Coordinates of all heavy atoms in Angstrom, one line a residue:
M1 N -5.3 -6.6 -10.5 CA -3.8 -6.5 -10.7 C -3.2 -6.3 -9.4 O -3.6 -5.6 -8.5 CB -3.5 -5.4 -11.7 CG -2.0 -5.3 -12.0 SD -1.6 -4.1 -13.3 CE -2.3 -5.0 -14.7
G2 N -2.1 -7.0 -9.1 CA -1.4 -7.0 -7.9 C -0.8 -5.7 -7.5 O -0.7 -5.4 -6.3
L3 N -0.5 -4.8 -8.4 CA 0.2 -3.6 -8.1 C -0.8 -2.6 -7.3 O -0.4 -1.9 -6.4 CB 0.7 -2.9 -9.3 CG 1.9 -3.6 -10.0 CD1 2.2 -3.0 -11.3 CD2 3.1 -3.6 -9.1
I4 N -2.1 -2.6 -7.6 CA -3.0 -1.8 -6.9 C -3.1 -2.3 -5.4 O -3.2 -1.5 -4.5 CB -4.4 -1.8 -7.6 CG1 -5.4 -0.8 -6.8 CG2 -5.0 -3.1 -7.6 CD1 -5.0 0.6 -6.8
H5 N -3.0 -3.6 -5.2 CA -3.0 -4.1 -3.9 C -1.8 -3.7 -3.1 O -1.9 -3.5 -1.9 CB -3.2 -5.6 -3.9 CG -4.5 -6.0 -4.5 ND1 -4.6 -6.7 -5.7 CD2 -5.8 -5.8 -4.2 CE1 -5.9 -6.8 -6.1 NE2 -6.6 -6.3 -5.1
L6 N -0.7 -3.6 -3.7 CA 0.5 -3.1 -3.0 C 0.3 -1.7 -2.6 O 0.6 -1.3 -1.4 CB 1.7 -3.2 -3.9 CG 2.3 -4.5 -4.3 CD1 3.4 -4.4 -5.2 CD2 2.7 -5.3 -3.0
H7 N -0.3 -0.9 -3.5 CA -0.6 0.5 -3.2 C -1.5 0.6 -2.0 O -1.3 1.4 -1.1 CB -1.1 1.2 -4.4 CG -1.5 2.7 -4.2 ND1 -2.6 3.0 -3.5 CD2 -0.8 3.8 -4.5 CE1 -2.7 4.4 -3.5 NE2 -1.6 4.8 -4.0
L8 N -2.6 -0.2 -2.1 CA -3.6 -0.1 -1.0 C -3.1 -0.6 0.3 O -3.4 0.0 1.3 CB -4.8 -1.0 -1.4 CG -5.7 -0.5 -2.5 CD1 -6.7 -1.6 -3.0 CD2 -6.4 0.8 -2.1
S9 N -2.2 -1.6 0.4 CA -1.7 -2.0 1.6 C -0.8 -0.9 2.3 O -0.8 -0.7 3.5 CB -0.9 -3.3 1.5 OG 0.3 -3.1 0.8
V10 N 0.0 -0.3 1.5 CA 0.8 0.8 2.0 C 0.0 2.0 2.4 O 0.2 2.7 3.4 CB 1.9 1.2 1.0 CG1 2.7 2.5 1.4 CG2 2.9 0.1 0.7
E11 N -1.1 2.3 1.6 CA -2.0 3.4 1.9 C -2.6 3.2 3.2 O -2.7 4.1 4.0 CB -3.0 3.5 0.8 CG -4.0 4.6 1.0 CD -5.1 4.7 0.0 OE1 -4.9 4.3 -1.2 OE2 -6.2 5.1 0.3
K12 N -3.1 2.0 3.5 CA -3.8 1.7 4.7 C -2.9 1.8 5.9 O -3.2 2.3 7.0 CB -4.5 0.3 4.7 CG -5.5 0.2 3.6 CD -6.6 1.3 3.6 CE -7.5 1.1 2.5 NZ -8.2 2.3 2.1
A13 N -1.6 1.3 5.7 CA -0.6 1.4 6.8 C -0.3 2.9 7.1 O -0.2 3.3 8.3 CB 0.7 0.7 6.4
L14 N -0.2 3.7 6.1 CA 0.0 5.2 6.3 C -1.1 5.8 7.0 O -0.9 6.7 7.8 CB 0.3 5.9 4.9 CG 1.7 5.6 4.3 CD1 1.7 6.1 2.9 CD2 2.8 6.2 5.1
K15 N -2.3 5.5 6.6 CA -3.5 6.1 7.2 C -3.6 5.7 8.7 O -4.0 6.4 9.5 CB -4.8 5.7 6.4 CG -4.8 6.5 5.1 CD -6.1 6.3 4.3 CE -6.2 7.2 3.1 NZ -7.4 7.0 2.3
G16 N -3.3 4.4 9.0 CA -3.2 4.0 10.3 C -2.2 4.7 11.1 O -2.4 5.1 12.3
L17 N -1.0 4.9 10.6 CA 0.1 5.6 11.2 C -0.4 7.1 11.5 O -0.2 7.6 12.6 CB 1.3 5.6 10.3 CG 2.5 6.5 10.8 CD1 3.0 5.9 12.1 CD2 3.6 6.5 9.7
L18 N -1.0 7.7 10.5 CA -1.4 9.1 10.7 C -2.5 9.2 11.8 O -2.4 10.1 12.6 CB -2.0 9.6 9.4 CG -2.0 11.1 9.2 CD1 -1.8 11.4 7.7 CD2 -3.3 11.7 9.7
T19 N -3.4 8.3 11.8 CA -4.5 8.3 12.8 C -3.9 8.0 14.2 O -4.2 8.7 15.2 CB -5.5 7.2 12.5 OG1 -6.1 7.5 11.2 CG2 -6.6 7.2 13.5
A20 N -3.0 7.1 14.3 CA -2.4 6.8 15.6 C -1.5 7.9 16.1 O -1.6 8.3 17.3 CB -1.5 5.5 15.5
R21 N -0.7 8.5 15.2 CA 0.2 9.6 15.7 C -0.5 10.9 15.9 O -0.2 11.6 16.9 CB 1.2 9.8 14.6 CG 2.2 8.7 14.5 CD 3.5 9.2 14.9 NE 4.5 8.2 15.0 CZ 5.8 8.5 15.2 NH1 6.2 9.7 15.2 NH2 6.6 7.5 15.3
L22 N -1.5 11.3 15.1 CA -2.1 12.6 15.2 C -3.5 12.5 15.8 O -4.1 13.6 16.1 CB -2.2 13.2 13.8 CG -0.9 13.4 13.1 CD1 -1.1 14.0 11.7 CD2 0.1 14.2 13.9
G23 N -4.1 11.4 16.0 CA -5.3 11.2 16.7 C -6.5 11.8 15.9 O -7.5 12.3 16.4
R24 N -6.4 11.8 14.6 CA -7.4 12.3 13.7 C -7.5 11.4 12.4 O -6.6 10.7 12.1 CB -7.2 13.7 13.3 CG -6.0 14.0 12.5 CD -6.0 15.4 12.0 NE -4.8 15.8 11.2 CZ -4.5 15.4 10.0 NH1 -5.4 14.7 9.3 NH2 -3.4 15.8 9.4
L25 N -8.6 11.6 11.7 CA -8.7 10.8 10.5 C -7.8 11.4 9.4 O -7.6 12.7 9.4 CB -10.1 10.9 10.0 CG -11.2 10.1 10.9 CD1 -12.6 10.3 10.3 CD2 -10.8 8.7 11.0
P26 N -7.2 10.6 8.6 CA -6.4 11.1 7.5 C -7.2 11.8 6.4 O -8.4 11.7 6.4 CB -5.7 9.9 6.9 CG -6.6 8.8 7.3 CD -7.3 9.2 8.5
S27 N -6.5 12.6 5.6 CA -7.1 13.2 4.5 C -7.7 12.2 3.5 O -7.2 11.1 3.5 CB -6.0 14.0 3.7 OG -5.5 15.0 4.4
K28 N -8.7 12.6 2.8 CA -9.3 11.7 1.8 C -8.5 11.8 0.6 O -8.9 12.5 -0.4 CB -10.8 12.1 1.6 CG -11.6 11.8 2.8 CD -13.1 12.1 2.6 CE -13.9 11.7 3.8 NZ -15.3 11.9 3.6
T29 N -7.4 11.0 0.6 CA -6.6 11.0 -0.6 C -6.0 9.6 -0.7 O -5.9 8.9 0.2 CB -5.4 12.1 -0.5 OG1 -4.6 12.0 -1.7 CG2 -4.5 11.8 0.7
H30 N -5.6 9.3 -2.0 CA -4.8 8.1 -2.2 C -3.4 8.4 -2.5 O -2.6 7.4 -2.8 CB -5.4 7.4 -3.5 CG -6.9 7.0 -3.3 ND1 -7.3 6.0 -2.4 CD2 -8.0 7.4 -3.9 CE1 -8.6 5.9 -2.5 NE2 -9.0 6.8 -3.4
N31 N -3.0 9.6 -2.3 CA -1.6 10.0 -2.6 C -0.7 9.6 -1.4 O -0.8 10.2 -0.3 CB -1.5 11.5 -2.8 CG -0.2 12.0 -3.3 OD1 0.8 11.7 -2.7 ND2 -0.1 12.7 -4.4
L32 N 0.2 8.7 -1.7 CA 1.0 8.1 -0.6 C 2.0 9.1 -0.1 O 2.3 9.1 1.1 CB 1.7 6.9 -1.1 CG 0.8 5.7 -1.6 CD1 1.7 4.6 -2.1 CD2 -0.1 5.3 -0.6
V33 N 2.5 10.0 -0.9 CA 3.5 11.0 -0.5 C 2.8 12.0 0.4 O 3.3 12.4 1.5 CB 4.2 11.7 -1.7 CG1 5.1 12.8 -1.2 CG2 5.0 10.7 -2.5
T34 N 1.6 12.4 0.1 CA 0.9 13.3 0.9 C 0.6 12.7 2.3 O 0.8 13.4 3.3 CB -0.5 13.7 0.2 OG1 -0.2 14.4 -1.0 CG2 -1.3 14.6 1.1
L35 N 0.2 11.5 2.3 CA -0.1 10.8 3.6 C 1.2 10.7 4.4 O 1.1 10.9 5.6 CB -0.7 9.4 3.3 CG -2.1 9.5 2.7 CD1 -2.5 8.1 2.3 CD2 -3.1 10.0 3.7
A36 N 2.3 10.4 3.8 CA 3.5 10.2 4.5 C 3.9 11.6 5.1 O 4.3 11.6 6.3 CB 4.7 9.7 3.6
R37 N 3.8 12.6 4.4 CA 4.2 14.0 4.9 C 3.3 14.4 6.0 O 3.7 15.0 7.0 CB 4.2 15.0 3.8 CG 5.4 14.7 2.8 CD 5.6 15.8 1.9 NE 6.9 15.6 1.2 CZ 7.1 15.7 -0.1 NH1 6.0 16.0 -0.9 NH2 8.3 15.5 -0.6
E38 N 2.0 14.1 5.9 CA 1.0 14.4 6.9 C 1.3 13.7 8.2 O 0.9 14.2 9.3 CB -0.4 14.0 6.5 CG -1.2 15.1 5.7 CD -2.6 14.7 5.5 OE1 -3.3 14.3 6.4 OE2 -3.0 14.7 4.3
S39 N 1.9 12.6 8.2 CA 2.1 11.7 9.4 C 3.0 12.3 10.4 O 3.0 12.0 11.5 CB 2.6 10.3 9.0 OG 3.9 10.4 8.6
G40 N 3.9 13.2 9.9 CA 4.9 13.8 10.8 C 6.1 12.9 11.0 O 7.0 13.2 11.8
V41 N 6.2 11.8 10.4 CA 7.3 10.8 10.5 C 8.4 11.2 9.5 O 8.0 11.6 8.4 CB 6.8 9.4 10.3 CG1 8.0 8.4 10.2 CG2 5.8 9.0 11.4
A42 N 9.6 11.1 9.9 CA 10.7 11.4 9.0 C 11.0 10.3 8.0 O 11.7 9.3 8.3 CB 12.0 11.7 9.8
F43 N 10.4 10.4 6.8 CA 10.7 9.4 5.7 C 12.0 9.9 5.0 O 12.2 11.1 4.9 CB 9.5 9.4 4.7 CG 8.3 8.7 5.2 CD1 7.4 9.3 6.1 CD2 8.1 7.4 4.8 CE1 6.3 8.7 6.6 CE2 6.9 6.7 5.3 CZ 6.1 7.4 6.2
T44 N 12.7 8.9 4.5 CA 13.9 9.2 3.7 C 13.5 9.6 2.3 O 12.3 9.3 1.9 CB 14.8 8.0 3.6 OG1 14.2 7.0 2.8 CG2 15.3 7.5 5.0
E45 N 14.4 10.2 1.6 CA 14.0 10.6 0.2 C 13.8 9.3 -0.6 O 12.9 9.3 -1.5 CB 15.2 11.4 -0.4 CG 15.2 12.9 0.0 CD 13.9 13.6 -0.3 OE1 13.4 13.5 -1.5 OE2 13.4 14.3 0.6
K46 N 14.5 8.3 -0.4 CA 14.3 7.0 -1.1 C 12.9 6.5 -0.8 O 12.3 6.0 -1.8 CB 15.4 6.0 -0.6 CG 15.4 4.7 -1.4 CD 16.5 3.8 -0.9 CE 16.5 2.4 -1.6 NZ 17.5 1.5 -1.1
Q47 N 12.5 6.5 0.4 CA 11.1 6.1 0.7 C 10.1 6.9 0.0 O 9.1 6.4 -0.5 CB 10.9 6.1 2.2 CG 11.7 5.0 3.0 CD 11.6 5.2 4.5 OE1 11.7 6.3 5.0 NE2 11.6 4.1 5.2
L48 N 10.3 8.2 0.1 CA 9.3 9.1 -0.6 C 9.3 8.9 -2.1 O 8.2 9.0 -2.7 CB 9.6 10.6 -0.3 CG 9.4 11.0 1.2 CD1 9.9 12.4 1.4 CD2 7.9 10.9 1.6
D49 N 10.5 8.6 -2.7 CA 10.5 8.3 -4.1 C 9.7 7.1 -4.4 O 9.0 7.0 -5.4 CB 12.0 8.2 -4.6 CG 12.7 9.5 -4.6 OD1 12.1 10.6 -4.6 OD2 14.0 9.4 -4.7
L50 N 9.9 6.1 -3.6 CA 9.1 4.8 -3.8 C 7.6 5.1 -3.7 O 6.8 4.6 -4.5 CB 9.6 3.7 -2.8 CG 8.8 2.4 -2.9 CD1 8.8 1.8 -4.3 CD2 9.3 1.4 -1.9
L51 N 7.2 5.8 -2.7 CA 5.8 6.2 -2.6 C 5.3 6.9 -3.8 O 4.2 6.7 -4.3 CB 5.6 7.0 -1.3 CG 5.8 6.3 0.0 CD1 5.8 7.3 1.2 CD2 4.9 5.1 0.2
G52 N 6.1 7.8 -4.3 CA 5.7 8.6 -5.5 C 5.5 7.7 -6.7 O 4.6 7.8 -7.5
E53 N 6.4 6.7 -6.8 CA 6.3 5.7 -7.9 C 5.1 4.9 -7.8 O 4.4 4.6 -8.8 CB 7.6 4.8 -8.0 CG 8.9 5.5 -8.4 CD 10.0 4.5 -8.2 OE1 9.9 3.3 -8.2 OE2 11.2 5.0 -8.0
M54 N 4.8 4.5 -6.6 CA 3.6 3.6 -6.3 C 2.3 4.4 -6.5 O 1.3 3.7 -6.8 CB 3.7 3.1 -4.9 CG 4.8 2.1 -4.7 SD 4.9 1.4 -3.1 CE 3.3 0.5 -3.1
N55 N 2.3 5.7 -6.4 CA 1.1 6.4 -6.7 C 0.5 6.1 -8.1 O -0.7 6.1 -8.2 CB 1.3 7.9 -6.6 CG 1.2 8.4 -5.1 OD1 0.6 7.8 -4.3 ND2 1.9 9.5 -4.9
R56 N 1.3 5.9 -9.0 CA 0.8 5.6 -10.4 C 0.0 4.3 -10.4 O -0.8 4.2 -11.3 CB 1.9 5.7 -11.4 CG 2.9 4.5 -11.3 CD 4.0 4.7 -12.4 NE 4.8 3.5 -12.3 CZ 5.8 3.3 -13.1 NH1 6.0 4.1 -14.1 NH2 6.5 2.3 -13.0
F57 N 0.3 3.4 -9.5 CA -0.4 2.1 -9.6 C -1.9 2.4 -9.2 O -2.8 1.7 -9.7 CB 0.2 1.1 -8.6 CG 1.6 0.8 -8.8 CD1 2.4 0.5 -7.8 CD2 2.1 0.9 -10.1 CE1 3.8 0.2 -8.0 CE2 3.5 0.6 -10.3 CZ 4.3 0.2 -9.3
S58 N -2.2 3.3 -8.3 CA -3.5 3.6 -8.0 C -4.3 4.2 -9.2 O -5.3 3.7 -9.5 CB -3.6 4.6 -6.8 OG -4.9 5.0 -6.5
L59 N -3.7 5.2 -9.8 CA -4.3 5.8 -11.0 C -4.4 4.8 -12.1 O -5.5 4.7 -12.7 CB -3.4 7.0 -11.4 CG -3.9 7.9 -12.5 CD1 -5.1 8.6 -12.1 CD2 -2.8 8.8 -13.0
E60 N -3.4 4.1 -12.4 CA -3.4 3.3 -13.6 C -4.2 2.0 -13.4 O -4.6 1.4 -14.4 CB -1.9 2.9 -14.0 CG -1.2 4.2 -14.5 CD 0.3 4.0 -14.8 OE1 0.8 3.0 -14.4 OE2 0.9 4.9 -15.4
S61 N -4.4 1.6 -12.2 CA -5.2 0.4 -11.9 C -6.7 0.7 -11.8 O -7.5 -0.1 -12.1 CB -4.8 -0.3 -10.7 OG -3.5 -0.7 -10.8
R62 N -7.0 2.0 -11.4 CA -8.4 2.3 -11.2 C -9.1 2.8 -12.4 O -10.3 2.8 -12.5 CB -8.5 3.4 -10.1 CG -8.1 3.0 -8.8 CD -8.1 4.1 -7.8 NE -7.4 3.8 -6.6 CZ -8.0 3.4 -5.5 NH1 -9.3 3.3 -5.4 NH2 -7.3 3.1 -4.4
Y63 N -8.4 3.4 -13.4 CA -9.0 4.1 -14.5 C -8.6 3.4 -15.8 O -7.5 3.2 -16.1 CB -8.6 5.5 -14.5 CG -9.0 6.2 -13.3 CD1 -8.0 6.5 -12.3 CD2 -10.3 6.6 -13.0 CE1 -8.4 7.2 -11.1 CE2 -10.7 7.2 -11.8 CZ -9.7 7.5 -10.9 OH -10.1 8.1 -9.7
P64 N -9.6 3.0 -16.6 CA -9.4 2.2 -17.8 C -8.4 2.8 -18.8 O -7.6 2.1 -19.4 CB -10.8 2.1 -18.4 CG -11.8 2.3 -17.3 CD -11.0 3.2 -16.3
D65 N -8.4 4.1 -18.9 CA -7.5 4.7 -19.9 C -6.0 4.5 -19.5 O -5.1 4.5 -20.3 CB -7.7 6.2 -19.9 CG -9.0 6.6 -20.6 OD1 -9.7 5.7 -21.1 OD2 -9.4 7.7 -20.5
Y66 N -5.8 4.2 -18.2 CA -4.4 4.1 -17.8 C -4.0 2.6 -17.7 O -2.8 2.3 -17.5 CB -4.2 4.7 -16.4 CG -4.3 6.2 -16.4 CD1 -5.5 6.8 -16.1 CD2 -3.3 7.0 -16.8 CE1 -5.7 8.2 -16.1 CE2 -3.4 8.4 -16.8 CZ -4.6 9.0 -16.5 OH -4.7 10.3 -16.5
K67 N -4.9 1.7 -17.7 CA -4.6 0.3 -17.4 C -3.7 -0.3 -18.4 O -2.8 -1.1 -18.1 CB -5.9 -0.6 -17.4 CG -6.7 -0.5 -16.1 CD -7.8 -1.4 -16.1 CE -8.6 -1.3 -14.8 NZ -9.7 -2.2 -14.7
S68 N -3.8 0.1 -19.7 CA -2.9 -0.5 -20.7 C -1.5 -0.1 -20.5 O -0.5 -0.8 -20.8 CB -3.4 -0.1 -22.1 OG -3.3 1.3 -22.3
R69 N -1.3 1.1 -19.9 CA 0.1 1.6 -19.7 C 0.8 0.7 -18.7 O 2.0 0.4 -18.9 CB 0.1 3.0 -19.1 CG -0.4 4.0 -20.1 CD -0.3 5.4 -19.5 NE -1.2 6.3 -20.3 CZ -1.4 7.6 -19.9 NH1 -0.9 8.1 -18.8 NH2 -2.2 8.3 -20.6
I70 N 0.1 0.4 -17.6 CA 0.8 -0.4 -16.6 C 0.9 -1.9 -17.0 O 1.8 -2.6 -16.7 CB 0.0 -0.3 -15.2 CG1 0.9 -0.8 -14.1 CG2 -1.3 -1.0 -15.2 CD1 2.1 0.1 -13.8
R71 N -0.1 -2.3 -17.8 CA -0.1 -3.7 -18.3 C 1.2 -4.0 -19.1 O 1.8 -5.1 -19.1 CB -1.3 -4.0 -19.1 CG -1.8 -5.4 -19.0 CD -3.1 -5.6 -19.7 NE -4.2 -5.0 -19.0 CZ -5.2 -4.3 -19.5 NH1 -5.2 -4.1 -20.8 NH2 -6.2 -3.8 -18.7
D72 N 1.6 -3.0 -19.8 CA 2.8 -3.1 -20.7 C 4.1 -3.3 -19.9 O 5.0 -3.9 -20.4 CB 2.9 -1.9 -21.7 CG 1.8 -1.9 -22.7 OD1 1.1 -2.9 -22.9 OD2 1.6 -0.8 -23.3
I73 N 4.2 -2.7 -18.7 CA 5.4 -2.8 -18.0 C 5.4 -3.8 -16.8 O 6.4 -4.0 -16.2 CB 5.8 -1.4 -17.5 CG1 4.8 -0.8 -16.5 CG2 6.1 -0.4 -18.6 CD1 5.3 0.4 -15.7
A74 N 4.2 -4.3 -16.5 CA 4.0 -5.1 -15.3 C 4.4 -6.5 -15.6 O 3.6 -7.5 -15.5 CB 2.6 -5.0 -14.8
T75 N 5.7 -6.8 -15.9 CA 6.2 -8.1 -16.0 C 6.3 -8.8 -14.7 O 6.3 -8.1 -13.6 CB 7.6 -8.1 -16.7 OG1 8.5 -7.4 -15.8 CG2 7.6 -7.4 -18.0
P76 N 6.4 -10.1 -14.6 CA 6.6 -10.7 -13.3 C 7.8 -10.2 -12.5 O 7.7 -10.0 -11.3 CB 6.8 -12.2 -13.7 CG 6.0 -12.4 -15.0 CD 6.2 -11.1 -15.7
E77 N 8.9 -9.9 -13.2 CA 10.1 -9.4 -12.5 C 9.8 -8.0 -11.9 O 10.2 -7.7 -10.8 CB 11.2 -9.3 -13.5 CG 11.7 -10.7 -14.0 CD 10.8 -11.2 -15.1 OE1 10.1 -10.4 -15.8 OE2 10.9 -12.4 -15.4
F78 N 9.1 -7.1 -12.7 CA 8.7 -5.8 -12.3 C 7.9 -5.9 -11.0 O 8.1 -5.2 -10.0 CB 8.0 -5.1 -13.4 CG 7.6 -3.7 -13.1 CD1 8.4 -2.6 -13.3 CD2 6.3 -3.4 -12.6 CE1 8.1 -1.3 -13.0 CE2 5.9 -2.1 -12.3 CZ 6.8 -1.1 -12.5
V79 N 6.9 -6.7 -11.1 CA 5.9 -6.8 -9.9 C 6.7 -7.4 -8.7 O 6.5 -6.9 -7.6 CB 4.7 -7.7 -10.3 CG1 3.8 -7.9 -9.1 CG2 3.9 -7.0 -11.4
A80 N 7.5 -8.4 -8.9 CA 8.2 -9.0 -7.8 C 9.1 -7.9 -7.1 O 9.2 -7.9 -5.9 CB 9.1 -10.2 -8.3
G81 N 9.8 -7.1 -7.9 CA 10.6 -6.0 -7.4 C 9.8 -5.1 -6.5 O 10.3 -4.7 -5.4
Y82 N 8.7 -4.7 -7.0 CA 7.8 -3.8 -6.2 C 7.3 -4.5 -5.0 O 7.1 -3.8 -3.9 CB 6.7 -3.2 -7.1 CG 7.2 -1.9 -7.7 CD1 7.6 -1.8 -9.0 CD2 7.2 -0.7 -6.9 CE1 8.0 -0.6 -9.5 CE2 7.6 0.5 -7.4 CZ 8.0 0.5 -8.7 OH 8.5 1.7 -9.3
L83 N 7.0 -5.7 -5.1 CA 6.5 -6.5 -3.9 C 7.5 -6.4 -2.8 O 7.1 -6.1 -1.7 CB 6.1 -7.9 -4.3 CG 5.7 -8.8 -3.2 CD1 4.4 -8.3 -2.6 CD2 5.5 -10.3 -3.7
D84 N 8.7 -6.7 -3.1 CA 9.8 -6.7 -2.1 C 9.9 -5.3 -1.5 O 9.9 -5.2 -0.2 CB 11.1 -7.1 -2.7 CG 11.1 -8.6 -3.0 OD1 10.2 -9.4 -2.6 OD2 12.0 -9.0 -3.8
R85 N 10.0 -4.3 -2.3 CA 10.2 -2.9 -1.8 C 9.0 -2.4 -1.0 O 9.1 -1.8 0.0 CB 10.6 -2.0 -3.0 CG 11.9 -2.4 -3.6 CD 12.2 -1.7 -4.9 NE 12.0 -0.3 -4.9 CZ 11.8 0.4 -6.0 NH1 11.7 -0.1 -7.2 NH2 11.7 1.7 -5.9
A86 N 7.8 -2.7 -1.5 CA 6.6 -2.2 -0.9 C 6.4 -2.9 0.4 O 6.0 -2.3 1.4 CB 5.4 -2.4 -1.8
T87 N 6.7 -4.2 0.5 CA 6.5 -4.9 1.7 C 7.5 -4.4 2.8 O 7.1 -4.2 3.9 CB 6.8 -6.4 1.5 OG1 5.8 -6.9 0.5 CG2 6.7 -7.2 2.8
E88 N 8.7 -4.2 2.4 CA 9.7 -3.6 3.3 C 9.2 -2.2 3.8 O 9.3 -1.9 5.0 CB 11.0 -3.5 2.6 CG 12.2 -2.9 3.5 CD 13.5 -2.8 2.7 OE1 13.8 -3.8 2.0 OE2 14.1 -1.8 2.8
L89 N 8.8 -1.4 3.0 CA 8.3 -0.1 3.4 C 7.1 -0.1 4.3 O 7.0 0.5 5.3 CB 8.0 0.8 2.1 CG 7.5 2.2 2.4 CD1 8.5 3.0 3.2 CD2 7.2 2.9 1.1
R90 N 6.1 -1.0 3.9 CA 4.9 -1.2 4.8 C 5.3 -1.6 6.2 O 4.8 -1.1 7.1 CB 4.0 -2.2 4.1 CG 2.7 -2.4 4.9 CD 1.8 -3.4 4.1 NE 0.8 -3.8 5.0 CZ 0.9 -4.8 5.9 NH1 2.1 -5.4 6.1 NH2 -0.1 -5.1 6.7
Q91 N 6.2 -2.6 6.2 CA 6.7 -3.1 7.6 C 7.4 -1.9 8.4 O 7.2 -1.8 9.6 CB 7.6 -4.3 7.4 CG 6.9 -5.5 6.9 CD 7.8 -6.6 6.5 OE1 9.0 -6.5 6.4 NE2 7.2 -7.8 6.4
W92 N 8.1 -1.1 7.7 CA 8.8 0.0 8.3 C 7.7 1.0 8.9 O 7.8 1.5 10.0 CB 9.7 0.7 7.4 CG 10.4 1.9 8.0 CD1 11.6 1.8 8.7 CD2 10.0 3.3 8.0 NE1 12.0 3.1 9.1 CE2 11.0 4.0 8.7 CE3 8.9 3.9 7.5 CZ2 10.9 5.4 8.9 CZ3 8.8 5.3 7.7 CH2 9.8 6.0 8.4
V93 N 6.7 1.3 8.1 CA 5.6 2.2 8.5 C 4.9 1.6 9.7 O 4.7 2.3 10.7 CB 4.6 2.4 7.3 CG1 3.4 3.1 7.9 CG2 5.2 3.2 6.2
L94 N 4.6 0.3 9.7 CA 4.0 -0.3 10.9 C 4.8 -0.2 12.1 O 4.3 -0.1 13.2 CB 3.5 -1.7 10.5 CG 2.4 -1.8 9.4 CD1 2.2 -3.3 9.1 CD2 1.2 -1.1 9.9
R95 N 6.1 -0.3 12.0 CA 7.0 -0.2 13.1 C 7.0 1.2 13.8 O 7.4 1.4 14.9 CB 8.4 -0.6 12.8 CG 8.6 -2.1 12.6 CD 10.0 -2.6 12.5 NE 10.8 -1.9 11.5 CZ 10.9 -2.4 10.2 NH1 10.3 -3.5 9.9 NH2 11.7 -1.8 9.4
Q96 N 6.5 2.2 13.0 CA 6.5 3.5 13.5 C 5.3 3.8 14.4 O 5.2 4.8 15.0 CB 6.5 4.6 12.3 CG 7.6 4.4 11.3 CD 9.0 4.3 12.0 OE1 9.4 5.2 12.7 NE2 9.7 3.2 11.7
L97 N 4.3 2.9 14.4 CA 3.1 3.0 15.2 C 3.4 3.1 16.7 O 4.3 2.5 17.2 CB 2.1 1.9 14.9 CG 1.5 1.9 13.6 CD1 0.7 0.6 13.3 CD2 0.5 3.1 13.5

């Protein structure tokens, strides 16, 4: 499912940012908000809210019990909206490197 890939792309960008900024490996977590806060970069509340929303894609895509929940709401329009927002956020994170 495409939503997990959005989550993973933002997660990897955040882990790269954290490593570059702090010179250490990031925490072993998939929680995007935790990674953003660890990075020391000033994220807006809007950005943190989006990261929090995206966290559910990791959980719901990885575990069978949750897959049906995301499948019910993941219309093409829903996914396209997240694609645009996640891409913009990922690009912003990469500019912070």
Side-chain angles (χ1 to χ4, degrees):
M1 181 171 291
L3 293 172
I4 183 64
H5 296 112
L6 291 176
H7 180 280
L8 288 171
S9 71
V10 172
E11 179 183 331
K12 300 310 178 200
L14 287 168
K15 287 183 174 182
L17 175 64
L18 201 148
T19 301
R21 289 248 173 170
L22 303 180
R24 66 171 175 79
L25 294 176
S27 299
K28 292 185 179 185
T29 183
H30 299 293
N31 187 307
L32 302 177
V33 175
T34 298
L35 293 168
R37 289 192 171 130
E38 270 186 52
S39 74
V41 173
F43 285 79
T44 67
E45 282 303 312
K46 184 177 177 182
Q47 289 170 322
L48 292 173
D49 288 346
L50 176 57
L51 293 172
E53 291 173 25
M54 291 181 67
N55 276 334
R56 70 183 182 172
F57 303 150
S58 176
L59 184 69
E60 292 173 348
S61 295
R62 293 174 193 264
Y63 302 104
D65 292 348
Y66 294 98
K67 281 186 180 182
S68 64
R69 292 182 201 174
I70 198 71
R71 212 174 287 136
D72 291 343
I73 64 168
T75 64
E77 296 80 19
F78 180 88
V79 174
Y82 268 100
L83 176 61
D84 291 343
R85 293 167 54 202
T87 299
E88 182 180 311
L89 180 59
R90 182 181 164 279
Q91 290 171 344
W92 181 87
V93 169
L94 293 174
R95 287 192 300 272
Q96 306 311 302
L97 288 169

